[in-house]
């Protein structure tokens, strides 16, 4: 645990409020420490992007203060803040090559051409995107675009890096890989970051600390596991949803497929990780079967329904399958299957539905 | 399947009629043109002077539209302000009135005895029967085309590009010139070409504001009235050819 007194905060927001279009930020106060990876987690429309844009200087707050590296930057234009911004759609400049995209921040600051070239090559080498440099932006895959956007933001050696839902545009299959990549880049370059997401897996896997944000307000700040295990109120609990979150250990592997022991029971997951891990299965990704049918899902567990409750637009089932599982179904599915408390059912889910971190 | 086919058959017949109505005059003009006469027209000093007057005045009007219309278009695309919708509608009025009326409006406001015209004449700009009158009349009828083209070009650019450029250290102006303008270039260039072509094609406003120096469209009318249809054909073919080239360039730009 880092000592509060010795670790001075790099960024602090003091009672920041802002209304913009339909979005609101209400009285947000926040401290981000040097070299910290800080995750802001909340549902769509919580104001997460607006919060990043206030920090970047794209919008100015209606009230409150923003202090960056001991300087009041509240009304400083973005070009004088030294902030790296990776927006959700990456926003690579389509009229420039990858190389010119990455070098833009240096060129615009008037660095000489050969220095720009050299630094672009160095950073691209570190981020393993050197082979992309001459490509046109329109030919890049989502993952490649993200790496280029990251390089473009990092080349100016920003005081803080802002990442807006960096994984949401990617296939679920590649997210673990990208999380590992972000960790690796961070180890290499040691930056401070604010990462906005609606996915608690990113928060737990990447974040040193996190803030839970709802309706423009920060409701809880702390270590991700602590917030997920001890949410301060029902709202946070319902969203962070520590549903089907288990500790486990990878005990066997066949190619991309890992067999994970969850303490007596085993699940299969598509992951490259090994050793002790956390496992999460989204409640809406589990299918309920009445019989142990032959279906494509890799994981089939047997359990007993313990509780049925409303969770609009779903119905939520608590099922004891050796471990406590939560499953979301539509009301139609519930009635079609004629499910009741006490009934014995099978839970089926694909290996790719099991997130490992 | 059959019904779709018969629909396309019916529509093809109806569509062909308008294609013919539009294409026959163009083809006929070329068939009836003696290339030697076109060559002679190109040696005719009066034609050459009229062409040069028209093209340079249209170019001056286009440059003015670019210079003052681009900033306006950007503001219209990026900021909301009171009466913005009204302003945008009013800016399109020149496209909705007879061009003779446009000419009257320009003359009324800027003739040399009007209060603005007096100021203009002090710096040597007289509107009546002058090159600058042609430019002003052309600008009045064609600038709205440029403004709306550039505006829609700017509107289509995701503001996030500009935001990122700002965080990377580019100020407002640098961002505008290195990100916004290149991304809107297609709309700006095609808008400028249409604006130029529209300016070249202007007749009505020029008749009122500045029949002299003679512009090419007025020369066509003059030849037609004085010497009949056949006398107007060589210049007509020439202008038609220029029009076709302009359209092909636009087509190329929009496909690029």
């Amino acid at each position: 645990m880092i000592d509060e007194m010795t670790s001075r905060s790099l960024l602090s927001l003091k009672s920041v409020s802002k209304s913009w279009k339909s979005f609101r930020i209400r009285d947000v106060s926040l401290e981000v420490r040097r070299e910290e990876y800080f995750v802001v987690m909340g549902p769509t429309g919580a104001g997460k992007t607006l919060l990043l844009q206030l920090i970047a200087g794209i919008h100015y707050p209606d009230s409150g203060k923003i202090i960056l590296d001991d300087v009041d930057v509240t009304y400083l234009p973005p070009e004088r803040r030294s902030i790296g911004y990776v927006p959700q759609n990456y926003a690579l400049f389509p009229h420039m090559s990858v190389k010119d995209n990455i070098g833009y921040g240096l060129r615009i600051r008037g660095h000489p051409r050969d220095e720009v070239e050299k630094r672009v090559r160095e950073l691209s080498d570190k981020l393993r995107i050197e082979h992309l440099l001459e490509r046109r932006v329109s030919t890049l895959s989502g993952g490649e675009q993200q790496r280029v956007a990251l390089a473009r933001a990092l080349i100016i050696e920003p005081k803080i890096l802002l990442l807006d839902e960096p994984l949401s545009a990617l296939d679920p299959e590649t997210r673990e890989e990208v999380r590992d990549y972000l960790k690796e880049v961070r180890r290499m370059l040691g930056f401070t970051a604010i990462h906005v997401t609606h996915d608690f897996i990113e928060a737990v896997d990447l974040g040193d600390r996190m803030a839970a944000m709802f309706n423009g307000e920060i409701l809880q700040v702390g270590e991700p596991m602590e917030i997920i295990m001890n949410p301060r109120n029902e709202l946070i609990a319902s969203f962070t949803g520590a549903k089907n979150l288990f500790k486990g250990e990878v005990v066997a592997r066949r190619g991309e497929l890992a067999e994970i022991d969850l303490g007596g029971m085993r699940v299969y997951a598509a992951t490259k990780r090994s050793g002790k891990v956390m496992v999460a299965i989204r409640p809406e990704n589990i299918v309920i079967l009445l019989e142990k049918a032959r279906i494509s899902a890799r994981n089939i567990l047997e359990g007993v329904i313990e509780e049925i409750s409303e969770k609009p637009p779903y119905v939520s089932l608590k099922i004891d399958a050796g471990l406590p599982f939560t499953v979301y179904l539509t009301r139609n599915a519930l009635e079609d299957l004629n499910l009741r408390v006490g009934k014995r059912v099978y839970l089926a889910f694909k290996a790719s539905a099991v997130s490992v971190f | 399947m059959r019904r779709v086919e018969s629909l396309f058959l019916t529509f093809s017949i109806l569509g062909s009629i308008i294609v013919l109505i539009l294409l026959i005059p163009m083809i006929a003009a070329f068939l009836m043109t003696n290339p030697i006469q076109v060559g002679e027209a190109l040696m005719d000093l009066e034609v050459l002077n009229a062409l040069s007057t028209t093209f340079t005045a249209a170019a001056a009007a286009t440059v003015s539209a670019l210079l003052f219309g681009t900033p306006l278009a950007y503001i219209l695309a990026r900021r909301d302000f009171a009466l913005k919708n009204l302003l945008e509608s009013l800016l399109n009025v020149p496209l909705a009135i007879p061009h003779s009326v446009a000419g009257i409006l320009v003359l009324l406001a800027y003739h040399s005895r009007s209060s603005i015209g007096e100021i203009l004449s002090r710096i040597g700009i007289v509107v009546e029967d002058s090159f600058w009158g042609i430019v002003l009349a052309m600008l009045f009828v064609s600038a709205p085309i440029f403004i709306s083209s550039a505006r829609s070009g700017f509107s289509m650019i995701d503001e996030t590009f500009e935001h990122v450029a700002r965080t990377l250290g580019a100020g407002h102006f640098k961002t505008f010139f290195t990100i916004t303008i290149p991304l809107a270039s297609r709309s700006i260039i095609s808008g400028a070409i249409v604006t130029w072509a529209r300016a070249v094609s202007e007749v009505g406003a020029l008749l009122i504001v500045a029949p002299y120096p003679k512009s090419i469209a007025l020369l066509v009318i003059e030849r037609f009235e004085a010497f009949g249809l056949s006398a107007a054909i060589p210049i007509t073919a020439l202008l038609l050819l220029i029009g076709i080239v302009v359209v092909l360039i636009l087509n190329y730009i929009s496909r690029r």
Side-chain angles (χ1 to χ4, degrees):
Chain A
M1 197 61 203
I2 307 159
D3 186 349
E4 196 74 51
M5 295 303 290
T6 55
S7 117
R8 295 193 21 242
S9 69
L10 174 71
L11 175 78
S12 54
L13 275 63
K14 298 183 195 297
S15 303
V16 170
S17 294
K18 171 76 178 176
S19 290
W20 186 75
K21 294 190 176 170
S22 62
F23 299 101
R24 302 275 171 283
I25 297 286
R26 295 173 222 260
D27 198 25
V28 164
S29 292
L30 207 59
E31 303 278 330
V32 177
R33 299 165 189 157
R34 258 170 233 284
E35 308 247 321
E36 182 171 50
Y37 201 103
F38 192 90
V39 175
V40 176
M41 179 175 149
T44 308
K48 305 188 297 291
T49 297
L50 181 56
L51 183 71
L52 289 190
Q53 294 185 335
L54 286 170
I55 296 167
I58 293 157
H59 300 293
Y60 298 132
D62 297 333
S63 63
K65 264 188 181 181
I66 301 172
I67 311 290
L68 177 64
D69 208 7
D70 297 326
V71 179
D72 184 344
V73 298
T74 313
Y75 300 106
L76 212 58
E79 61 268 25
R80 292 174 54 197
R81 293 190 185 199
S82 186
I83 278 175
Y85 177 43
V86 179
Q88 192 169 359
N89 60 4
Y90 311 133
L92 295 178
F93 305 135
H95 59 301
M96 296 179 194
S97 67
V98 167
K99 191 167 79 178
D100 288 344
N101 262 276
I102 299 173
Y104 182 85
L106 296 179
R107 275 202 319 281
I108 212 77
R109 284 154 199 255
H111 290 259
R113 186 175 284 272
D114 46 343
E115 187 205 324
V116 174
E117 173 89 21
K118 183 166 153 272
R119 282 175 63 180
V120 168
R121 295 232 168 256
E122 276 172 11
L123 184 61
S124 306
D125 192 35
K126 283 184 189 160
L127 298 188
R128 299 197 304 271
I129 50 173
E130 225 182 344
H131 60 292
L132 302 175
L133 286 180
E134 305 301 329
R135 293 259 295 272
R136 286 203 71 82
V137 164
S138 57
T139 66
L140 301 181
S141 72
E144 289 168 340
Q145 286 184 43
Q146 188 198 42
R147 290 179 181 209
V148 173
L150 199 60
R152 182 180 60 179
L154 286 171
I155 201 150
I156 60 167
E157 295 175 351
K159 289 177 179 155
I160 191 162
L161 181 67
L162 307 178
L163 302 162
D164 193 353
E165 303 255 7
L167 304 182
S168 65
L170 305 175
D171 300 333
E173 289 76 29
T174 61
R175 285 189 194 160
E176 177 187 304
E177 194 185 320
V178 176
R179 291 200 309 270
D180 286 343
Y181 179 75
L182 283 172
K183 284 187 199 171
E184 186 195 332
V185 173
R186 185 186 167 205
R187 263 197 307 276
M188 213 159 33
L189 304 173
F191 49 76
T192 309
I194 300 182
H195 172 130
V196 150
T197 181
H198 58 258
D199 187 353
F200 79 89
I201 293 164
E202 290 170 30
V204 174
D205 197 22
L206 293 166
D208 297 323
R209 287 191 309 143
M210 70 168 269
M213 186 169 186
F214 292 86
N215 300 320
E217 284 179 280
I218 301 276
L219 298 184
Q220 191 173 359
V221 178
E223 285 180 38
M225 266 328 249
E226 176 194 318
I227 292 183
I228 281 157
M229 290 309 180
N230 303 301
R232 185 175 289 164
N233 61 34
E234 194 48 43
L235 194 61
I236 302 172
S238 72
F239 182 73
T240 57
K243 307 283 193 298
N244 310 330
L245 178 63
F246 310 112
K247 281 191 177 127
E249 186 170 2
V250 176
V251 289
R253 143 172 322 280
R254 206 167 355 118
E256 289 278 287
L257 208 63
E259 190 176 341
I260 301 171
D261 182 72
L262 300 181
M265 56 187 301
R266 297 200 167 177
V267 294
Y268 294 93
T271 177
K272 289 181 184 146
R273 304 234 172 153
S274 56
K276 295 204 185 302
V277 292
M278 295 293 296
V279 164
I281 305 130
R282 290 181 183 282
E284 58 272 32
N285 287 345
I286 302 176
V287 177
I288 296 281
L289 305 171
L290 294 178
E291 288 165 36
K292 197 165 180 170
R294 282 156 56 90
I295 61 165
S296 66
R298 180 66 69 164
N299 297 293
I300 298 180
L301 307 174
E302 190 179 352
V304 176
I305 300 177
E306 293 198 312
E307 192 187 315
I308 300 178
S309 58
E310 294 293 334
K311 163 94 182 164
Y314 298 111
V315 178
S316 170
L317 274 61
K318 283 203 165 50
I319 297 172
D320 180 3
L323 289 166
F325 273 83
T326 302
V327 180
Y328 294 159
L329 294 178
T330 60
R331 176 150 290 284
N332 277 343
L334 183 83
E335 283 164 6
D336 287 350
L337 293 168
N338 193 21
L339 299 177
R340 290 175 320 279
V341 171
K343 190 155 181 160
R344 182 160 290 275
V345 293
Y346 293 92
L347 296 88
F349 47 94
K350 294 179 178 171
S352 62
V354 181
S355 302
V356 179
F357 50 99
Chain B
M1 198 63 196
R2 267 232 57 85
R3 282 177 58 185
V4 174
E5 301 264 272
S6 66
L7 174 126
F8 278 106
L9 184 67
T10 317
F11 282 14
S12 300
I13 293 167
L14 292 172
S16 307
I17 293 172
I18 196 153
V19 168
L20 290 175
I21 292 175
L22 295 178
L23 286 189
I24 285 172
M26 300 187 205
I27 296 164
F30 285 122
L31 289 179
M32 282 186 253
T33 304
N34 181 346
I36 296 167
Q37 284 179 333
V38 177
E40 278 170 4
L42 277 172
M43 313 250 249
D44 181 338
L45 207 60
E46 200 182 13
V47 172
L48 287 181
N49 279 336
L51 275 178
S52 114
T53 302
T54 305
F55 290 172
T56 48
T62 305
V63 169
S64 311
L66 270 164
L67 198 62
F68 304 112
T70 307
L72 172 68
Y74 186 68
I75 291 174
L76 291 174
R78 283 288 184 261
R79 288 283 178 267
D80 282 320
F81 49 86
L83 303 180
K84 179 174 143 179
N85 279 334
L86 180 66
L87 176 67
E88 285 191 274
S89 306
L90 290 177
L91 288 175
N92 281 323
V93 167
L95 303 178
I97 54 176
H99 295 159
S100 50
V101 173
I104 301 277
L105 294 178
V106 170
L107 195 59
L108 214 58
Y110 304 120
H111 73 81
S112 53
R113 286 172 310 284
S114 72
S115 40
I116 299 171
E118 219 170 295
I119 300 168
L120 287 176
S121 56
R122 256 180 242 161
I123 55 168
I125 297 177
V126 177
V127 168
E128 303 97 300
D129 282 338
S130 85
F131 177 77
W132 294 113
I134 296 176
V135 173
L136 200 58
M138 284 176 167
L139 185 65
F140 189 81
V141 296
S142 68
I145 297 171
F146 177 78
I147 294 166
S148 60
S149 175
R151 184 215 194 283
S152 78
F154 288 136
S155 300
M156 280 188 302
I157 302 171
D158 183 350
E159 270 185 277
T160 315
F161 292 124
E162 297 170 356
H163 294 160
V164 170
R166 297 285 306 278
T167 63
L168 291 171
H172 256 149
F173 281 94
K174 273 187 186 168
T175 300
F176 183 75
F177 287 110
T178 59
I179 303 296
T180 317
I181 287 279
L183 291 180
S185 60
R186 192 182 293 188
S187 303
I188 290 173
I189 293 169
S190 64
I193 293 173
V194 178
T195 300
W196 181 84
R198 176 67 195 81
V200 167
S201 70
E202 181 54 32
V203 180
L206 302 190
L207 265 175
I208 307 266
V209 178
Y212 300 95
K214 194 159 306 204
S215 47
I216 192 73
L218 294 189
L219 188 64
V220 175
I221 295 177
E222 193 186 275
R223 297 265 164 114
F224 170 68
E225 286 184 337
F227 309 105
L229 193 55
S230 61
I233 288 177
I235 312 178
T236 299
L238 199 63
L239 290 176
L240 180 59
L241 201 63
I242 292 166
I244 290 170
V245 170
V246 165
V247 171
L248 291 180
I249 293 173
L250 281 174
N251 190 26
Y252 172 75
I253 289 171
S254 63
R255 275 157 189 254
R256 199 179 44 167

